[in-house]
């Protein structure tokens, strides 16, 4: 993830505090295959106490970067636990005040996906309950990248 510009982060924080939805383009592959590079993700304001395990949440990471990962619960100190669907390890635990919003839709090309419907919902249940899914997805991504390098001239 890239570090967010402090001015942009401040603006996003003000929009969330005002109860506004925010739409951001996705970067990286940590939520593959549900969210892909360039997907437009819409997040709505949410209070940390309203989060449910499996929700995809936008939050500020320890380094100030914006991250959208799946919520798993709390650690012993009450900090929030997140992990990308394609990540084997959890993120550094996050304090409540770093939460910016909950994912309400994903736009990819001309299609709109909702996290609580169809494949998105089923995928979320699999990721939350089958510990081998992130390992499999990470292997798929490595294979995809190796094939891309093999095919790309240069």
């Amino acid at each position: 993830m890239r570090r967010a510009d402090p001015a942009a982060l401040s603006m996003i924080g003000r929009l969330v505090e005002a109860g506004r939805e925010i739409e951001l383009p996705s970067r990286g592959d940590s939520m593959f295959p549900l969210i892909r590079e360039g997907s437009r993700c819409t997040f709505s304001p949410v209070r940390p106490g309203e989060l449910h395990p499996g929700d995809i949440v936008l939050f500020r990471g320890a380094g100030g970067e914006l991250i959208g990962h799946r919520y798993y619960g709390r650690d012993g100190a009450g900090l929030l636990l997140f992990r990308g669907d394609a990540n084997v390890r959890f993120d550094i635990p996050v304090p409540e005040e770093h939460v910016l919003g909950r994912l309400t839709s994903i736009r990819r090309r001309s299609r709109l996906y909702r996290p609580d419907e169809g494949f998105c919902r089923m995928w979320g249940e699999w990721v939350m309950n089958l510990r081998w899914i992130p390992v499999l997805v990470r292997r798929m991504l490595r294979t995809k990248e190796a094939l891309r390098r093999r095919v790309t001239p240069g």
Side-chain angles (χ1 to χ4, degrees):
M1 284 275 161
R2 290 173 41 189
R3 185 169 175 78
D5 171 4
L9 193 54
S10 175
M11 181 183 71
I12 289 169
R14 285 194 305 273
L15 288 171
V16 169
E17 287 172 8
R20 303 285 305 270
E21 286 188 339
I22 52 176
E23 183 181 82
L24 300 168
S26 174
R27 293 207 168 112
D29 59 12
S30 65
M31 289 300 291
F32 185 87
L34 186 62
I35 300 173
R36 299 178 188 166
E37 181 86 24
S39 297
R40 306 281 309 173
C41 299
T42 302
F43 295 90
S44 295
V46 64
R47 292 185 185 107
E50 298 171 344
L51 294 175
H52 302 288
D55 286 345
I56 298 171
V57 178
L58 180 67
F59 60 94
R60 283 183 286 122
E65 66 276 21
L66 291 177
I67 301 173
H69 281 172
R70 199 170 295 278
Y71 172 66
Y72 279 80
R74 294 175 183 266
D75 69 5
L79 297 173
L80 308 176
L81 299 173
F82 295 97
R83 185 179 77 197
D85 290 355
N87 292 350
V88 178
R89 292 184 181 86
F90 282 90
D91 301 323
I92 295 170
V94 174
E96 287 186 353
E97 56 271 13
H98 285 203
V99 169
L100 297 170
R102 177 176 26 210
L103 183 74
T104 55
S105 68
I106 306 161
R107 185 173 301 281
R108 191 167 45 241
R109 298 188 188 114
S110 61
R111 303 237 14 219
L112 185 69
Y113 302 92
R114 303 237 181 248
D116 56 347
E117 297 176 353
F119 172 75
C120 295
R121 181 181 178 141
M122 183 175 62
W123 177 257
E125 290 175 14
W126 287 350
V127 168
M128 293 294 293
N129 294 301
L130 302 173
R131 295 180 187 261
W132 52 267
I133 293 275
V135 175
L136 177 67
V137 172
R138 187 54 50 196
R139 285 184 184 158
M140 284 175 35
L141 288 168
R142 276 193 227 120
T143 302
K144 179 180 163 188
E145 180 60 24
L147 289 171
R148 188 191 64 75
R149 282 191 306 248
R150 191 181 266 173
V151 172
T152 303

